[in-house]
Amino acid sequence: MAHQKQMLASIFIAVVTSGLCTVLCLAEGKKVELRRDYNVKPVPFNKVRVEDNFWTPRLDTNRKVTIPYAFSKCEETGRIRNFEKAACLMEGKHEGIHFDDSDVYKIMEGAAYSLQVHPETMMRLYLDKLVTIMDAAQWDDGYLFTFYSVPEKQPEKLWTNIQWIHEQYCVGHMYEAAVAHYQVTADKSFLNIAMENADLICNTFSPGKRTDPPGHQEIEIGLCKLYRVTGDEKYLDQAKFFLDQRGRKGNRGPKGNGGLYGEYSQDHKPVTEQTRAVGHSVRAAYLYTGMADVAALMGDMEYVEAIDTIWKDVVDTKLYITGGIGAAGGHEGFGSPYELPNMTAYCETCASIANILWNHRMFLMHNDAKYIDVLERVLYNAALSGISMKGDRFFYPNPLQSIGQHARSPWFGCACCPSNVARFIPSVPGYTYAYKNNDVYVNLFISGDVTIETQNNKVKLTQKTQYPWKGTVNISVEPEKSDTFAIYVRIPGWAQNQPVPSDLYKFHQAGHEEATLKVNGKRLSLSTQNGFACIDRKWQKGDTIEMDLPMPIRRVIAHPNVKADRDKVAIQRGPIVFCLEWPDNDGKVLNLVIRDDAKLRTEYRPDLLNGVMVVIGEAQVVKRTNNGDIVPDRDKQFIAIPYYAWAHRGRGEMTVWPARRPEAAQPEPADTLTYRSKTTASFVHVSLNAIKDQILPDSSSDSSALQLDFWPHKGTTEWIQFEWGQEHEISSVKVYWFDDTGRGQCHVPKSWKVLYRDAEGNFKPVNNDSPYLTEKDTFNKVSFKPVKTDGVKIEIILQDEWSAGVQEVIIE
Ligand SMILES: [Zn+2]
């Protein structure tokens, strides 16, 4: 333990011994002096010029489409009007959700970033107009939150429901936006609004006064940014104060009940005692990001120990192969260890962005490439999936499997994800490079150039690459003056047989080709330090680095504890995780098995999905026989596309984890009487087909295999009918009921009966010799005197207060 403390202490030593570290305030050229900060410094996005086949279109789309589109949605949905009403420019009630202000701030932050790279007068004027409205909407004491400002100010309501109303979350985003706006425009008007508000917060929440931590973290990150730009330590102290109140009872709320918010808000114990990632995943990752910032700025080792432990918990047991986090939709958050379901995966887009923010800070703190490995995985997969290619359709959850129920949406009532994308995409270039003293880091591979101002030099690097499709990266190096320093080039974990920095996923077979590195055409023997190839030499203008990362197609296998991925395989090539989607595979993908010996190849398709590499191979279609066995039926070519590019061609089946053994596939159903029937129902909620797909649920409450239910009908009489073109002799019907008591509103029915169609075409009850049971978690079989019929009807009477549903039906 003592050794660990010592090791941790060394993280900040470089900073402490080199004295004060300075942050250049872009706008005024004035330097704000901070006592310490991250060991490694990021190179801000605006220093990085991107000219890249993959990223330039994304950045352009965000600037030309997503940001204006998101602002127009804010206009349309009343988010801007709320500010206008609060500024007394118009009258009316508050529109939308109480924390909608945050969306406007996030898009403003993105717009400011975008302006820095592409100055556009109209966008600048629009931002200035919003700042003027916000200035008018701000109360004299600095308070700014439209929900309590319209139709008139409600001072008695302030800070009365910090757990759920999110005043602090909203203004945290305001601080981030205001800092960005100031750095880009040199205009202090928005920053002044933020500082006045932060001053109010500092006066309201302090020892001896109110001690409530925010219900939703974010303000901690914003306060650290305010501190960095102003140098005023009270903002930093306030961030730490909020972090330290978590998990501690105190003076919370006017009612003084002092209750903790619990695990959902990471408020179950003090942050320094937390060891597992729990609760709402966006809240959690913003918390860990804020802890990293405060730790770096204050040298708090206890925070570092806590987030190191929590990071390991996530990477060991709670990270999707796409880099997404948050397994469960119910609380939008982390599940138990290894609980990583695919179809119901939550993987909120905001959580992916938060995971990137957090891992970037972990890298800056520890200068270890494993954090960039995680960041890159999230970036190219889970995060990019959140936004459509055209930039105006969004995913909130990003599942890893679909049967057609998922599609990107133009907007959401709770629009946290679209607005987060709008600010995140322009910041992507900022993750590419970093420096420490005179040494520079190349973290991501994006064509373009950068000039890095190191301690004693200016180093221009120019990257040329076709990443992520090709692994060759050429970097030309032009230091202003020739000097000896190190260039650390990240060798991705996936190029060293380690898809993630844990045993949660592994490549099925180790790759034998190794990454190679040449300087001025001469090959270097590659040894890595913390995941970086360190090239420490005297650099001069005209020097070149040539890296080649072999990109074979890799099969990924999950840890055996991940039940959802057992006997399944994921496909990865370079940083890209692939998926099988219906349009490329004749409509179905869940019935396919990719055997371990199936040959795979890649093909670049310039005309598909804005140009993607696809993986093509042989799969087997599996089928269920009449006696229930699952057997290969025929071979078929499959095509896999990058996961981020799915859901652009309509709804249908998709999977990131196709089966590698027949048992894990969803076989084509056996040719049974039930399957062959023409099936209709009085009402369909979820899926009619689910009752004859021959996929049995684990229990009546299992909704993963889908069901037919009659919700929201309650107390009604419903029916399901099965018809054939000819007569069959039938003597039994088995029904497996759907019942989600405790979670939903379906219970087993009050009663049911089976009818058959007689020769005159009338439905008559069968003559049953066993009772009509309504037991859960099993088939309820009714046998009857055999009938010859071309139609069977099941009549179901629902309980008065409840709906009902059916998982599976077997007619024999
Ligand atoms: Zn979100």
Side-chain angles (χ1 to χ4, degrees):
M1 203 63 188
H3 170 72
Q4 196 191 0
K5 279 243 162 75
Q6 225 170 27
M7 210 173 65
L8 287 168
S10 71
I11 293 166
F12 299 114
I13 276 184
V15 180
V16 175
T17 52
S18 66
L20 295 175
C21 62
T22 53
V23 171
L24 186 69
C25 202
L26 299 172
E28 298 182 338
K30 207 172 72 185
K31 284 184 176 180
V32 171
E33 301 205 323
L34 308 179
R35 282 187 206 160
R36 68 176 92 219
D37 204 335
Y38 285 107
N39 205 359
V40 179
K41 307 277 182 294
V43 176
F45 71 92
N46 60 309
K47 301 278 182 200
V48 182
R49 200 181 59 82
V50 173
E51 202 176 335
D52 184 84
N53 287 339
F54 189 85
W55 284 106
T56 300
R58 289 285 184 169
L59 292 165
D60 286 349
T61 301
N62 193 74
R63 177 169 53 89
K64 292 179 189 162
V65 180
T66 310
I67 291 174
Y69 175 84
F71 273 137
S72 76
K73 282 286 173 188
C74 286
E75 300 265 4
E76 193 185 307
T77 56
R79 284 168 167 82
I80 307 285
R81 280 194 297 276
N82 286 337
F83 282 101
E84 290 172 330
K85 289 170 193 168
C88 297
L89 298 171
M90 62 188 293
E91 289 186 346
K93 285 185 188 163
H94 184 275
E95 298 173 71
I97 307 173
H98 41 273
F99 51 81
D100 276 354
D101 292 0
S102 60
D103 298 324
V104 182
Y105 298 137
K106 275 188 276 183
I107 306 162
M108 289 174 80
E109 185 188 343
Y113 293 157
S114 183
L115 272 183
Q116 179 122 47
V117 183
H118 288 273
E120 282 171 51
T121 311
M122 291 311 288
M123 183 61 79
R124 172 70 204 269
L125 290 174
Y126 187 75
L127 279 189
D128 288 351
K129 184 186 100 174
L130 289 180
V131 172
T132 308
I133 297 168
M134 286 166 180
D135 190 29
Q138 187 169 35
W139 298 14
D140 290 342
D141 63 358
Y143 187 79
L144 178 51
F145 184 60
T146 65
F147 186 65
Y148 288 149
S149 303
V150 292
E152 68 268 315
K153 289 179 185 167
Q154 300 153 64
E156 72 286 355
K157 296 263 182 73
L158 311 197
W159 324 118
T160 50
N161 189 355
I162 285 171
Q163 184 177 1
W164 298 113
I165 292 290
H166 298 344
E167 289 144 298
Q168 295 145 313
Y169 165 81
C170 286
V171 298
H173 278 301
M174 190 232 293
Y175 305 165
E176 289 206 73
V179 168
H181 181 263
Y182 169 60
Q183 288 178 323
V184 172
T185 62
D187 172 1
K188 274 194 165 174
S189 51
F190 198 10
L191 186 65
N192 286 336
I193 296 172
M195 284 163 56
E196 276 173 41
N197 183 273
D199 292 347
L200 173 72
I201 296 263
C202 293
N203 282 331
T204 310
F205 298 90
S206 64
K209 294 185 182 170
R210 289 284 294 274
T211 66
D212 321 38
H216 194 312
Q217 297 87 333
E218 158 61 27
I219 194 170
E220 303 84 352
I221 300 171
L223 284 164
C224 287
K225 286 195 174 176
L226 268 190
Y227 164 62
R228 279 205 180 86
V229 82
T230 62
D232 190 336
E233 289 193 3
K234 78 174 169 215
Y235 300 135
L236 177 59
D237 292 340
Q238 192 65 31
K240 181 164 165 51
F241 177 76
F242 278 139
L243 292 174
D244 288 342
Q245 297 321 303
R246 223 157 261 286
R248 291 182 211 280
K249 292 187 176 179
N251 180 18
R252 294 183 169 206
K255 291 172 198 147
N257 59 11
L260 301 182
Y261 313 149
E263 283 196 352
Y264 174 78
S265 300
Q266 299 78 38
D267 188 38
H268 52 301
K269 51 170 93 166
V271 291
T272 52
E273 292 169 26
Q274 297 191 21
T275 54
R276 295 177 305 113
V278 293
H280 187 268
S281 47
V282 182
R283 282 170 166 81
Y286 282 175
L287 167 66
Y288 312 144
T289 302
M291 285 169 73
D293 276 349
V294 171
L297 292 164
M298 294 184 128
D300 192 312
M301 295 307 156
E302 281 189 306
Y303 282 2
V304 178
E305 279 181 66
I307 52 178
D308 280 353
T309 309
I310 295 168
W311 183 86
K312 197 168 165 355
D313 178 51
V314 173
V315 171
D316 282 355
T317 68
K318 294 170 184 168
L319 184 72
Y320 278 95
I321 188 67
T322 55
I325 50 173
H331 64 294
E332 302 190 318
F334 290 104
S336 306
Y338 302 107
E339 183 193 340
L340 296 164
N342 291 312
M343 192 147 73
T344 55
Y346 205 63
C347 294
E348 183 179 339
T349 301
C350 285
S352 291
I353 293 171
N355 201 16
I356 287 175
L357 299 176
W358 178 30
N359 275 281
H360 188 229
R361 275 133 169 118
M362 295 297 277
F363 157 72
L364 299 174
M365 189 176 275
H366 293 298
N367 44 342
D368 193 317
K370 67 184 177 183
Y371 303 107
I372 305 293
D373 284 348
V374 176
L375 184 157
E376 183 186 64
R377 178 170 293 280
V378 189
L379 176 62
Y380 282 96
N381 303 291
L384 218 43
S385 157
I387 173 83
S388 71
M389 308 266 194
K390 286 192 177 152
D392 58 358
R393 292 292 180 275
F394 308 90
F395 267 135
Y396 197 120
N398 292 268
L400 284 79
Q401 184 178 317
S402 182
I403 51 171
Q405 71 272 56
H406 306 102
R408 287 193 190 80
S409 172
W411 194 247
F412 306 95
C414 169
C416 53
C417 294
S419 54
N420 228 342
V421 166
R423 72 170 184 144
F424 168 70
I425 294 289
S427 77
V428 168
Y431 300 110
T432 317
Y433 302 98
Y435 69 99
K436 180 184 167 187
N437 303 327
N438 285 319
D439 300 336
V440 301
Y441 290 83
V442 181
N443 286 335
L444 298 180
F445 309 112
I446 298 177
S447 287
D449 57 62
V450 63
T451 299
I452 305 173
E453 290 184 42
T454 63
Q455 206 167 323
N456 298 327
N457 211 341
K458 273 189 186 174
V459 182
K460 183 176 179 191
L461 301 177
T462 306
Q463 270 200 60
K464 284 207 171 69
T465 180
Q466 295 295 319
Y467 206 80
W469 312 128
K470 290 182 182 169
T472 305
V473 182
N474 291 308
I475 306 170
S476 69
V477 186
E478 292 175 67
E480 193 175 63
K481 52 183 191 240
S482 297
D483 200 1
T484 300
F485 59 91
I487 298 181
Y488 290 91
V489 183
R490 174 173 153 262
I491 308 295
W494 57 257
Q496 300 179 78
N497 288 316
Q498 187 153 35
V500 290
S502 72
D503 64 356
L504 186 53
Y505 303 103
K506 64 174 187 185
F507 291 137
H508 186 228
Q509 284 174 330
H512 301 299
E513 282 181 88
E514 284 187 358
T516 59
L517 205 59
K518 290 178 189 167
V519 172
N520 299 331
K522 206 175 141 209
R523 187 161 169 178
L524 302 183
S525 70
L526 191 70
S527 65
T528 56
Q529 300 173 13
N530 292 340
F532 290 99
C534 168
I535 318 172
D536 195 350
R537 67 192 294 278
K538 186 165 183 182
W539 293 99
Q540 53 194 16
K541 279 193 186 117
D543 284 342
T544 58
I545 301 171
E546 200 182 319
M547 180 171 68
D548 195 37
L549 303 168
M551 281 191 178
I553 302 163
R554 311 304 302 264
R555 289 174 157 85
V556 184
I557 306 292
H559 190 287
N561 288 351
V562 184
K563 198 176 143 210
D565 300 337
R566 271 183 211 157
D567 294 328
K568 294 182 176 180
V569 61
I571 297 170
Q572 181 178 346
R573 181 178 177 275
I576 299 285
V577 174
F578 286 76
C579 71
L580 275 62
E581 198 189 14
W582 66 274
D584 312 299
N585 296 287
D586 303 321
K588 289 189 88 64
V589 300
L590 298 173
N591 60 346
L592 300 180
V593 175
I594 301 175
R595 288 165 42 127
D596 291 346
D597 59 359
K599 286 218 163 51
L600 309 176
R601 65 185 170 89
T602 55
E603 200 175 293
Y604 186 71
R605 296 269 176 95
D607 50 339
L608 181 68
L609 299 163
N610 287 0
V612 288
M613 194 71 83
V614 298
V615 173
I616 301 170
E618 281 299 313
Q620 291 177 322
V621 179
V622 293
K623 193 172 169 50
R624 195 186 300 273
T625 62
N626 279 328
N627 62 16
D629 294 340
I630 298 171
V631 294
D633 184 53
R634 59 190 186 276
D635 288 346
K636 178 179 188 311
Q637 178 183 276
F638 79 85
I639 295 178
I641 59 163
Y643 168 73
Y644 74 76
W646 83 286
H648 283 91
R649 297 169 290 175
R651 293 163 185 259
E653 288 193 359
M654 181 280 293
T655 185
V656 171
W657 288 98
R660 61 193 269 250
R661 300 206 171 100
E663 310 84 274
Q666 287 187 7
E668 291 188 343
D671 191 20
T672 60
L673 213 49
T674 325
Y675 181 64
R676 242 185 294 150
S677 70
K678 178 186 166 220
T679 310
T680 49
S682 55
F683 180 77
V684 175
H685 179 241
V686 185
S687 166
L688 179 59
N689 211 40
I691 63 169
K692 55 177 189 176
D693 62 2
Q694 300 166 14
I695 301 166
L696 297 189
D698 290 340
S699 67
S700 283
S701 71
D702 177 9
S703 53
S704 68
L706 301 194
Q707 74 282 342
L708 161 70
D709 66 58
F710 304 109
W711 185 85
H713 294 191
K714 292 174 188 174
T716 49
T717 300
E718 308 287 343
W719 54 260
I720 312 170
Q721 192 167 305
F722 304 83
E723 293 167 281
W724 301 269
Q726 63 190 91
E727 288 191 341
H728 294 279
E729 186 174 282
I730 291 164
S731 62
S732 77
V733 169
K734 293 196 265 186
V735 180
Y736 198 120
W737 300 109
F738 174 71
D739 184 313
D740 59 0
T741 302
R743 193 179 75 231
Q745 303 199 337
C746 290
H747 284 201
V748 293
K750 189 194 279 179
S751 64
W752 62 293
K753 65 182 174 198
V754 175
L755 305 112
Y756 73 100
R757 189 151 57 195
D758 68 9
E760 282 80 49
N762 300 317
F763 276 101
K764 288 186 175 165
V766 295
N767 198 351
N768 60 308
D769 44 38
S770 66
Y772 287 107
L773 299 173
T774 56
E775 282 180 18
K776 283 196 237 182
D777 307 331
T778 185
F779 273 109
N780 293 269
K781 179 177 178 179
V782 62
S783 312
F784 43 84
K785 202 174 126 219
V787 290
K788 278 206 159 177
T789 182
D790 67 351
V792 164
K793 192 186 230 182
I794 302 174
E795 201 175 88
I796 302 164
I797 301 177
L798 313 190
Q799 294 192 44
D800 291 344
E801 303 293 319
W802 300 103
S803 192
V806 173
Q807 297 267 25
E808 195 74 23
V809 173
I810 299 176
I811 302 171
E812 283 167 335

